[in-house]
């Protein structure tokens, strides 16, 4: 017992907090590793997207620079007219986005445009560009050495974006600047579609935004961590290409779904574990309560055994000593010895029957019996005690009561227990009534006393083993708390039940019911009254 309670305490104070802690730690670790895994997955998607966007940017840069390279070869300032004519011949094929080429004499004081070749028929736009070049573009160009280097200027003037490629050439002691004017609108229409189409093994969505964040090409993309952007390196360097892998969106959705699932699973397992803990705690509390009740029971039974035994012994010794003078007294003492021995026997029988029930060994032998006869025998067994306490036992059996399939001895024990309680707990009552009626295929045996009744909160509990009610505790009535549990077991074994009603302010009415068997008996039995 002591070891058991030490173990319980150990479980309660050490194991339970440890369990709760481990559940929390486990939950934390699961969440953390889930998030880490997700972050890793995200990072690998970002890296893949970055590689893709770089490849696209480089490819586009390269296509512009390749056109510039053709022009670098072709444009010879000292033979500018021939060069321009040559270029116009191959322009559509080899430099599709170059709209015009210009040569500026940097050695002259006012730096005039000495050659202007345009793919379109001369118009106001070309003229506007020429003026823009001299006024705004030239001052922005980097003309410091190395001179032959190919450079680009990407800028907006007004609401139009301009891209020019330029390089310097020295010839005949003069310095020239060759400028290729790329048509940005053409780049957008002719080259950008290839950004979205080519070279993608993975499904992706691409757009290009300008320095103000306005979309120049492509659809709007969600600005999440999984959309990756990179500016052009050398050509359209004010603009940024954004790529979002379609897979990344699916991945994000899948990750969200997985997160919900993981969270629900972890939550569920935590709830199950905590639920299990609550069940264990409840079971421990129940066991502790039962252990309490059991030790009370042992004390009660020992006490119940001791009292009649000492009476038997005392009156036995008195008779043995020969000091009892009158025959009447002798008879009285003998009577006490007999009735106390009977009580002792009944108690031991109760305990033994209860032990059988507890071990699951209780066996019943059912046979068709007249209920009135069984009840009469039970009343007879309590007769002496009722006489001694000056109470009347009234047995009232309905004349047309049908027989029942029952275990005679068990029903007798059940009824004796009920009568015994009625005598015990109603010390001031004058009468205990036992009635038997048939109702809806059941026989109802009622044991009615004039005692204190049963407190409403006790009415269900008192049928549990070892439980004693307020009426017992308050009045210090002897008992062991197994009588009604035994009656309940017997009633249920007969397909019936035991309940208690306390109709008025005082008095209890225990109702033992079990199945009847067949039609009413032919010869009605008379109601019987036992007088004290
Ligand atoms: P015991 O009588 O040994 O305590 P029982 O199982 O027979 O055990 O009864 C359980 C409890 O029910 C009793 O302790 C008592 O409080 C209550 N009880 C039983 N019968 C009566 C009754 N006739 N009147 C009042 N209380 C009763």
């Amino acid at each position: 017992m002591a070891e058991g309670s030490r173990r319980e305490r150990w479980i309660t104070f050490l194991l339970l907090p440890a369990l709760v802690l481990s559940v929390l730690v486990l939950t934390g670790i699961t969440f953390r590793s889930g998030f880490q895994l997700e972050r890793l997955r995200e990072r690998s998607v970002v890296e893949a997207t970055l590689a893709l966007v770089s490849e696209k940017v480089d490819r586009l840069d390269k296509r512009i620079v390749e056109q510039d390279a053709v022009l670098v070869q072709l444009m010879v300032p000292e033979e500018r007219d021939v060069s321009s004519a040559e270029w116009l011949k191959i322009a559509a094929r080899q430099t599709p986005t170059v709209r015009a080429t210009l040569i500026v004499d940097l050695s002259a004081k006012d730096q005039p445009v000495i050659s202007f070749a345009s793919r379109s028929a001369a118009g106001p736009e070309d003229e506007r560009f020429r003026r823009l070049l001299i006024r705004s573009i030239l001052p922005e160009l980097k003309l410091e050495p190395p001179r032959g280097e190919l450079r680009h200027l990407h800028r907006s003037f007004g609401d139009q974006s301009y891209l020019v490629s330029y390089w310097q050439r020295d010839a005949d002691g003069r310095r020239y600047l060759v400028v290729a004017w790329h048509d940005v609108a053409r780049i957008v229409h002719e080259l950008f579609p290839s950004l979205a189409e080519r070279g993608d093994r993975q499904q992706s969505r691409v757009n290009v935004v300008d320095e103000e964040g306005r979309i120049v090409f492509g659809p709007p993309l969600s600005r999440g961590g999984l959309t990756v952007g990179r500016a052009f390196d050398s050509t359209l360097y004010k603009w940024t290409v954004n790529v979002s892998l379609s897979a990344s969106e699916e991945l994000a959705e899948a990750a969200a779904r997985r997160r919900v699932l993981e969270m629900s699973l972890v939550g569920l397992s935590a709830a199950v574990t905590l639920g299990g803990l609550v069940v264990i705690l409840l079971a421990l509390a129940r066991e502790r309560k039962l252990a309490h009740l059991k030790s009370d029971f042992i004390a009660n039974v020992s006490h119940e055994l001791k009292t009649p035994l000492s009476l038997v012994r005392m009156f036995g010794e008195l008779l043995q000593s020969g000091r009892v003078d009158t025959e009447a007294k002798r008879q009285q003492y003998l009577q006490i010895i007999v009735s106390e021995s009977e009580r002792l026997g009944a108690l031991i029988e109760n305990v033994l029957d209860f032990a059988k029930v507890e071990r699951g060994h209780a066996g019943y032998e059912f046979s068709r019996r007249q209920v009135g006869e069984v009840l009469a025998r039970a009343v007879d067994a309590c007769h002496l005690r009722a006489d001694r306490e000056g109470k009347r036992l009234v047995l009232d059996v309905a004349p047309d009561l049908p027989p029942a399939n029952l275990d005679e001895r068990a029903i007798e024990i059940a009824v004796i227990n009920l009568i015994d309680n009625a005598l015990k707990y109603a010390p001031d009552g004058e009468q205990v009534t036992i009635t038997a009626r048939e109702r809806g295929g059941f026989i109802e045996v009622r044991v009615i006393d004039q005692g204190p009744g049963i407190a409403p909160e006790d009415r269900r509990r008192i049928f549990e083993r070892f439980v004693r009610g307020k009426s017992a505790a308050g009045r210090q009535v002897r008992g062991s708390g197994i009588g009604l549990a035994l009656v309940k077991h017997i009633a249920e074994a007969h397909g019936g039940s035991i309940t208690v009603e306390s109709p008025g302010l005082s008095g209890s009415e225990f109702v033992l019911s079990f199945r009847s068997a067949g039609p009413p008996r032919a010869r009605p039995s008379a109601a019987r009254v036992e007088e004290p």
Side-chain angles (χ1 to χ4, degrees), residues 64-136:
I64 295 173
V65 171
E66 272 170 2
Q67 297 181 52
D68 296 337
V70 170
L71 288 170
V72 169
Q73 291 293 318
L74 205 64
M75 297 305 287
V76 181
E78 48 284 25
E79 294 167 17
R80 43 193 170 272
D81 295 338
V82 181
S83 301
S84 298
E86 285 292 310
W87 167 64
L88 285 171
K89 273 192 247 162
I90 57 139
R93 206 163 17 90
Q94 294 197 31
T95 60
T97 69
V98 180
R99 178 176 177 150
T101 57
L102 300 90
I103 298 174
V104 179
D105 185 354
L106 293 177
S107 302
K109 199 165 158 275
D110 52 351
Q111 299 186 331
V113 175
I114 55 170
S115 161
F116 192 112
S118 172
R119 283 172 61 194
S120 48
E125 270 196 60
D126 284 353
E127 189 45 40
R128 213 178 301 137
F129 181 75
R130 183 204 293 264
R131 266 187 271 124
L132 185 75
L133 180 81
I134 293 166
R135 214 174 341 109
S136 310

Side-chain angles (χ1 to χ4, degrees), residues 421-422 424-425 449 453-454 462 467-469 471-472 479-484 508 510:
N421 278 352
K424 205 160 64 166
Y425 293 106
D449 66 38
I454 313 255
I462 51 172
V467 173
R468 306 203 67 213
S471 42
S480 53
I482 58 171
L484 289 181
S508 319
F510 281 87

Side-chain angles (χ1 to χ4, degrees), residues 457-485:
E457 64 269 26
D458 277 352
R459 279 180 205 164
R460 286 180 77 87
R461 289 176 59 237
I462 51 172
F463 298 103
E464 288 171 26
R465 59 208 178 134
F466 311 132
V467 173
R468 306 203 67 213
K470 277 191 178 156
S471 42
R475 289 156 187 261
Q476 299 196 322
V477 181
R478 284 183 294 142
S480 53
I482 58 171
L484 289 181

Side-chain angles (χ1 to χ4, degrees), residues 10-22 277 280-281 284:
W10 190 80
I11 288 174
T12 317
F13 293 115
L14 256 150
L15 201 60
L16 294 188
L19 259 169
V20 172
L21 195 75
S22 51
L277 286 182
I280 290 175
L281 281 177
L284 280 178

